[in-house]
Amino acid sequence: MDVVSLRKEITEIREQAGPRAGMAEDHHERLFEVFREIDAAISRCSEGEDADDKAAGLIEAQGVVMRTAATLQARSMRDILYKLALWRWDAADIDQPVQDMNRADAIIYSAFLDLVKMLGERDVLKDFDKAN
C-alpha cells in the first residue's frame, strides 16, 4: 500500500460523495476501512532507513481520511457511527476506563458505544472496547 494510491482512493470517495450521492451509499464506511488499512500498514512498518518516512506518509494519509470524513455530511445513523468510529480509532489515548477519561472524551466515547449497540455494528470496535 503506497501513499499515492491511498490518496487516489480517498479522492475518489470524496468525489463520489458529492451532493447527489444517495442515502444508501457508504462513503463514511469506506473511509473507515481505508483508515484501518493504513493503521495496519503503519504497524507493519519495520525498522530500516526508510521506515520512519513510510510511517510518516501513512500517518499523513490518515489525516486526509479524517479531514475528508469531517467534511462529508452524514446522511444516516450508520454514517454518524463511522464518523465516530474514525474518531475512536484515531484516539488511542482513550484506552482507559471511562472514569479516567477527560469529560469530553467520556461523553463522546459513551455515545459511540451506544450507537454501536443500537446498530449492532461491533466490527467498528477496537480490541480494548470489546474487552471492556
Side-chain angles (χ1 to χ4, degrees):
M1 169 181 308
D2 64 278
V3 175
V4 173
S5 61
L6 285 170
R7 285 185 178 274
K8 183 179 180 217
E9 185 173 359
I10 295 164
T11 299
E12 288 173 4
I13 293 169
R14 181 185 307 132
E15 289 171 354
Q16 293 169 0
R20 296 183 181 212
M23 289 286 290
E25 296 186 36
D26 59 354
H27 306 296
H28 290 92
E29 182 178 1
R30 289 175 53 205
L31 287 168
F32 176 69
E33 290 169 3
V34 170
F35 185 93
R36 286 184 58 181
E37 287 176 32
I38 296 168
D39 199 54
I42 290 169
S43 66
R44 289 190 303 266
C45 282
S46 60
E47 299 290 323
E49 62 185 59
D50 64 340
D52 288 342
D53 290 338
K54 285 181 184 178
L58 291 168
I59 291 168
E60 182 181 328
Q62 279 185 322
V64 173
V65 169
M66 296 293 285
R67 285 186 295 281
T68 300
T71 62
L72 296 179
Q73 179 181 351
R75 294 186 171 99
S76 68
M77 293 301 282
R78 286 189 85 239
D79 285 350
I80 294 169
L81 170 71
Y82 282 103
K83 280 186 166 189
L84 287 171
L86 281 164
W87 163 82
R88 170 58 186 114
W89 278 74
D90 197 50
D93 57 327
I94 65 167
D95 287 351
Q96 57 187 320
V98 173
Q99 59 270 20
D100 295 337
M101 294 178 190
N102 73 52
R103 62 187 186 193
D105 283 340
I107 196 70
I108 294 169
Y109 183 69
S110 174
F112 167 66
L113 293 178
D114 290 346
L115 196 52
V116 166
K117 288 176 189 171
M118 280 193 270
L119 298 177
E121 296 280 347
R122 289 187 49 84
D123 290 343
V124 299
L125 297 173
K126 294 183 85 171
D127 290 338
F128 176 86
D129 306 326
K130 293 174 186 175
N132 298 289

